[in-house]
Amino acid sequence: MNIALFGYGKMGKMIEKIALKRNHNIVAKIDLDATDINFSEIDVAIDFSMPNAAYGNIKNCLEHNVPIISGTTGWLQDYQKAVALCKKNNGAFIYASNFSLGVNLFFELNSYLAKLMAPQDQYGVVMEEIHHTQKLDAPSGTAITLAEGVIDNTNYTKWKLDSAGDREIPITAKRIGDTPGTHTVTYESEVDSIEIKHTAHNREGFALGAVIAAEWIVGKSGVFTMKDVLNLS
């Protein structure tokens, strides 16, 4: 399978390493705006670029009938435009705030715990995410997905960075060293706390999930999520 990488930073290099191990070919490495891309030789594209580049990368791929996987966060104001473009071109597209297989199982656990906690008014929920100092957006896309999982299953209405009001979920974002990513969801009452936590030990899990998603999407059309890839729907 011929893969194009949009974004060739730490994640791009890790994806390349795993893709080569799985006997794929890297036919393009695009780290900045490029106009000389040979889309005809690309079977699938993987985008881990920058927030201001992600939608353009997705648009170019969909308009050239190349399925694309995007793990870039911070661009979601244009997500519905990408969905509409995918449908218009009968293309294939997956966005995930986190491609780690473990994190996607964590998302399911988070939603299930939220359902259990919904009737327990004595508990309040707080979230914390910790990442490396080079991460630009805060809170992380993963933290936002976790917050949305709670909102969908409880009477919380929205999330807010740091302090929050009634029926709002406070998210604390920390940037420390080279931390790959740690996410904690805590339900607190006066008498006890219930906590679930996912800690990434390195970036390899994120990269492996992206390559697995890329393998899965080839030959399909539609807008998908990691739930589809992992058959969690």
Short mmCIF file of all heavy atoms in Angstrom, two decimals, residues 10-19 22 46 48 69 98-101 202-214:
data_model
loop_
_atom_site.label_atom_id
_atom_site.label_comp_id
_atom_site.label_asym_id
_atom_site.label_seq_id
_atom_site.Cartn_x
_atom_site.Cartn_y
_atom_site.Cartn_z
N LYS A 10 7.41 14.48 14.64
CA LYS A 10 7.63 13.28 15.44
C LYS A 10 6.62 12.18 15.10
O LYS A 10 6.98 11.01 14.97
CB LYS A 10 7.54 13.62 16.94
CG LYS A 10 8.70 14.48 17.43
CD LYS A 10 8.54 14.81 18.91
CE LYS A 10 9.71 15.66 19.40
NZ LYS A 10 9.55 16.03 20.83
N MET A 11 5.35 12.56 14.97
CA MET A 11 4.34 11.56 14.66
C MET A 11 4.51 11.03 13.24
O MET A 11 4.38 9.82 13.01
CB MET A 11 2.93 12.15 14.82
CG MET A 11 2.39 12.08 16.24
SD MET A 11 2.28 10.39 16.86
CE MET A 11 1.13 9.69 15.70
N GLY A 12 4.80 11.89 12.30
CA GLY A 12 5.00 11.45 10.94
C GLY A 12 6.13 10.44 10.83
O GLY A 12 6.01 9.43 10.12
N LYS A 13 7.21 10.70 11.53
CA LYS A 13 8.36 9.78 11.50
C LYS A 13 8.01 8.45 12.16
O LYS A 13 8.44 7.38 11.71
CB LYS A 13 9.56 10.43 12.18
CG LYS A 13 10.13 11.61 11.40
CD LYS A 13 11.30 12.24 12.13
CE LYS A 13 11.97 13.33 11.28
NZ LYS A 13 11.11 14.50 11.06
N MET A 14 7.23 8.49 13.25
CA MET A 14 6.82 7.26 13.91
C MET A 14 5.87 6.45 13.01
O MET A 14 5.98 5.21 12.93
CB MET A 14 6.14 7.58 15.25
CG MET A 14 5.70 6.35 16.03
SD MET A 14 7.07 5.34 16.64
CE MET A 14 7.73 6.41 17.92
N ILE A 15 4.96 7.13 12.35
CA ILE A 15 4.04 6.45 11.42
C ILE A 15 4.84 5.80 10.30
O ILE A 15 4.56 4.66 9.90
CB ILE A 15 3.00 7.44 10.88
CG1 ILE A 15 2.00 7.82 11.99
CG2 ILE A 15 2.26 6.86 9.68
CD1 ILE A 15 1.11 8.99 11.65
N GLU A 16 5.82 6.52 9.76
CA GLU A 16 6.66 5.96 8.71
C GLU A 16 7.33 4.66 9.17
O GLU A 16 7.32 3.65 8.45
CB GLU A 16 7.73 6.98 8.30
CG GLU A 16 8.69 6.45 7.25
CD GLU A 16 9.78 7.46 6.91
OE1 GLU A 16 10.28 8.13 7.83
OE2 GLU A 16 10.12 7.56 5.72
N LYS A 17 7.89 4.69 10.35
CA LYS A 17 8.59 3.51 10.90
C LYS A 17 7.65 2.31 10.98
O LYS A 17 7.99 1.20 10.57
CB LYS A 17 9.15 3.86 12.28
CG LYS A 17 9.84 2.73 12.99
CD LYS A 17 10.32 3.19 14.36
CE LYS A 17 10.90 2.03 15.18
NZ LYS A 17 11.30 2.48 16.54
N ILE A 18 6.45 2.52 11.50
CA ILE A 18 5.50 1.43 11.66
C ILE A 18 4.95 0.97 10.31
O ILE A 18 4.80 -0.23 10.06
CB ILE A 18 4.36 1.85 12.61
CG1 ILE A 18 4.90 1.95 14.04
CG2 ILE A 18 3.18 0.87 12.55
CD1 ILE A 18 3.95 2.50 15.04
N ALA A 19 4.67 1.92 9.42
CA ALA A 19 4.16 1.57 8.10
C ALA A 19 5.16 0.70 7.34
O ALA A 19 4.79 -0.29 6.69
CB ALA A 19 3.83 2.83 7.31
N ARG A 22 5.17 -2.77 8.47
CA ARG A 22 3.99 -3.50 8.02
C ARG A 22 3.94 -3.62 6.49
O ARG A 22 2.90 -3.87 5.91
CB ARG A 22 2.72 -2.81 8.56
CG ARG A 22 2.63 -2.88 10.09
CD ARG A 22 1.50 -2.03 10.65
NE ARG A 22 0.19 -2.60 10.40
CZ ARG A 22 -0.45 -3.42 11.25
NH1 ARG A 22 0.13 -3.80 12.37
NH2 ARG A 22 -1.67 -3.86 10.95
N ILE A 46 -2.17 10.01 5.35
CA ILE A 46 -2.27 10.15 6.80
C ILE A 46 -1.81 11.55 7.16
O ILE A 46 -0.67 11.94 6.85
CB ILE A 46 -1.44 9.09 7.54
CG1 ILE A 46 -1.89 7.69 7.16
CG2 ILE A 46 -1.54 9.30 9.05
CD1 ILE A 46 -1.06 6.57 7.80
N PHE A 48 -0.94 14.24 9.97
CA PHE A 48 -0.61 14.72 11.31
C PHE A 48 0.20 15.99 11.11
O PHE A 48 1.41 16.02 11.31
CB PHE A 48 0.19 13.68 12.10
CG PHE A 48 -0.66 12.64 12.78
CD1 PHE A 48 -1.10 11.53 12.10
CD2 PHE A 48 -1.03 12.79 14.12
CE1 PHE A 48 -1.89 10.58 12.71
CE2 PHE A 48 -1.82 11.84 14.74
CZ PHE A 48 -2.25 10.73 14.04
N ILE A 69 -6.77 9.86 6.44
CA ILE A 69 -6.87 9.70 7.89
C ILE A 69 -6.28 10.96 8.51
O ILE A 69 -5.15 11.31 8.19
CB ILE A 69 -6.03 8.49 8.38
CG1 ILE A 69 -6.36 7.22 7.61
CG2 ILE A 69 -6.17 8.30 9.88
CD1 ILE A 69 -7.76 6.76 7.72
N ASN A 98 -7.67 10.92 18.68
CA ASN A 98 -6.61 10.04 19.15
C ASN A 98 -6.79 8.68 18.47
O ASN A 98 -7.87 8.09 18.56
CB ASN A 98 -6.68 9.90 20.67
CG ASN A 98 -5.43 9.32 21.27
OD1 ASN A 98 -4.92 8.30 20.80
ND2 ASN A 98 -4.92 9.94 22.31
N PHE A 99 -5.77 8.19 17.80
CA PHE A 99 -5.86 6.92 17.08
C PHE A 99 -5.38 5.74 17.91
O PHE A 99 -5.47 4.60 17.46
CB PHE A 99 -5.06 6.99 15.78
CG PHE A 99 -5.80 7.67 14.68
CD1 PHE A 99 -5.63 9.03 14.44
CD2 PHE A 99 -6.68 6.97 13.88
CE1 PHE A 99 -6.33 9.67 13.43
CE2 PHE A 99 -7.39 7.60 12.87
CZ PHE A 99 -7.21 8.95 12.64
N SER A 100 -4.87 5.98 19.10
CA SER A 100 -4.43 4.88 19.96
C SER A 100 -5.57 3.91 20.21
O SER A 100 -6.68 4.30 20.56
CB SER A 100 -3.93 5.45 21.29
OG SER A 100 -3.92 4.46 22.29
N LEU A 101 -5.29 2.61 20.03
CA LEU A 101 -6.32 1.61 20.27
C LEU A 101 -6.76 1.64 21.73
O LEU A 101 -7.95 1.54 22.05
CB LEU A 101 -5.80 0.23 19.90
CG LEU A 101 -5.22 0.08 18.48
CD1 LEU A 101 -4.87 -1.37 18.19
CD2 LEU A 101 -6.19 0.60 17.43
N ASN A 202 4.52 6.04 25.16
CA ASN A 202 5.25 6.61 24.02
C ASN A 202 4.23 6.91 22.92
O ASN A 202 3.03 6.71 23.11
CB ASN A 202 6.34 5.65 23.52
CG ASN A 202 5.80 4.25 23.25
OD1 ASN A 202 4.85 4.10 22.50
ND2 ASN A 202 6.41 3.25 23.87
N ARG A 203 4.71 7.37 21.77
CA ARG A 203 3.81 7.75 20.68
C ARG A 203 3.48 6.58 19.76
O ARG A 203 2.70 6.73 18.82
CB ARG A 203 4.43 8.89 19.88
CG ARG A 203 4.52 10.20 20.65
CD ARG A 203 5.11 11.31 19.79
NE ARG A 203 5.15 12.57 20.52
CZ ARG A 203 6.14 12.93 21.34
NH1 ARG A 203 7.15 12.10 21.55
NH2 ARG A 203 6.10 14.09 21.97
N GLU A 204 4.08 5.44 20.00
CA GLU A 204 3.92 4.32 19.06
C GLU A 204 2.47 3.86 18.95
O GLU A 204 2.01 3.48 17.86
CB GLU A 204 4.82 3.16 19.48
CG GLU A 204 4.90 2.07 18.44
CD GLU A 204 6.03 1.08 18.71
OE1 GLU A 204 7.00 1.46 19.37
OE2 GLU A 204 5.92 -0.05 18.22
N GLY A 205 1.73 3.90 20.05
CA GLY A 205 0.34 3.48 20.03
C GLY A 205 -0.52 4.36 19.14
O GLY A 205 -1.41 3.88 18.43
N PHE A 206 -0.24 5.67 19.15
CA PHE A 206 -0.98 6.59 18.29
C PHE A 206 -0.68 6.29 16.82
O PHE A 206 -1.58 6.26 15.98
CB PHE A 206 -0.59 8.05 18.57
CG PHE A 206 -0.61 8.44 20.03
CD1 PHE A 206 0.42 9.17 20.58
CD2 PHE A 206 -1.67 8.07 20.84
CE1 PHE A 206 0.41 9.54 21.91
CE2 PHE A 206 -1.70 8.43 22.18
CZ PHE A 206 -0.65 9.16 22.72
N ALA A 207 0.60 6.08 16.52
CA ALA A 207 1.01 5.83 15.15
C ALA A 207 0.47 4.50 14.62
O ALA A 207 -0.01 4.41 13.49
CB ALA A 207 2.54 5.85 15.05
N LEU A 208 0.53 3.46 15.45
CA LEU A 208 0.03 2.16 15.04
C LEU A 208 -1.46 2.23 14.72
O LEU A 208 -1.92 1.70 13.70
CB LEU A 208 0.27 1.12 16.13
CG LEU A 208 -0.33 -0.27 15.89
CD1 LEU A 208 0.26 -0.89 14.63
CD2 LEU A 208 -0.11 -1.17 17.10
N GLY A 209 -2.23 2.91 15.55
CA GLY A 209 -3.67 3.05 15.31
C GLY A 209 -3.96 3.77 14.01
O GLY A 209 -4.88 3.41 13.27
N ALA A 210 -3.15 4.80 13.69
CA ALA A 210 -3.35 5.54 12.45
C ALA A 210 -3.07 4.65 11.24
O ALA A 210 -3.81 4.70 10.24
CB ALA A 210 -2.45 6.77 12.42
N VAL A 211 -2.03 3.84 11.32
CA VAL A 211 -1.72 2.94 10.19
C VAL A 211 -2.80 1.88 10.04
O VAL A 211 -3.22 1.56 8.93
CB VAL A 211 -0.33 2.29 10.38
CG1 VAL A 211 -0.07 1.25 9.30
CG2 VAL A 211 0.77 3.36 10.36
N ILE A 212 -3.28 1.34 11.15
CA ILE A 212 -4.37 0.36 11.10
C ILE A 212 -5.62 0.98 10.47
O ILE A 212 -6.30 0.36 9.65
CB ILE A 212 -4.66 -0.20 12.50
CG1 ILE A 212 -3.52 -1.13 12.94
CG2 ILE A 212 -6.00 -0.94 12.55
CD1 ILE A 212 -3.61 -1.59 14.39
N ALA A 213 -5.92 2.23 10.84
CA ALA A 213 -7.07 2.92 10.25
C ALA A 213 -6.88 3.12 8.75
O ALA A 213 -7.82 2.98 7.97
CB ALA A 213 -7.29 4.26 10.95
N ALA A 214 -5.65 3.46 8.35
CA ALA A 214 -5.35 3.65 6.93
C ALA A 214 -5.53 2.34 6.16
O ALA A 214 -6.07 2.33 5.05
CB ALA A 214 -3.94 4.19 6.76
#
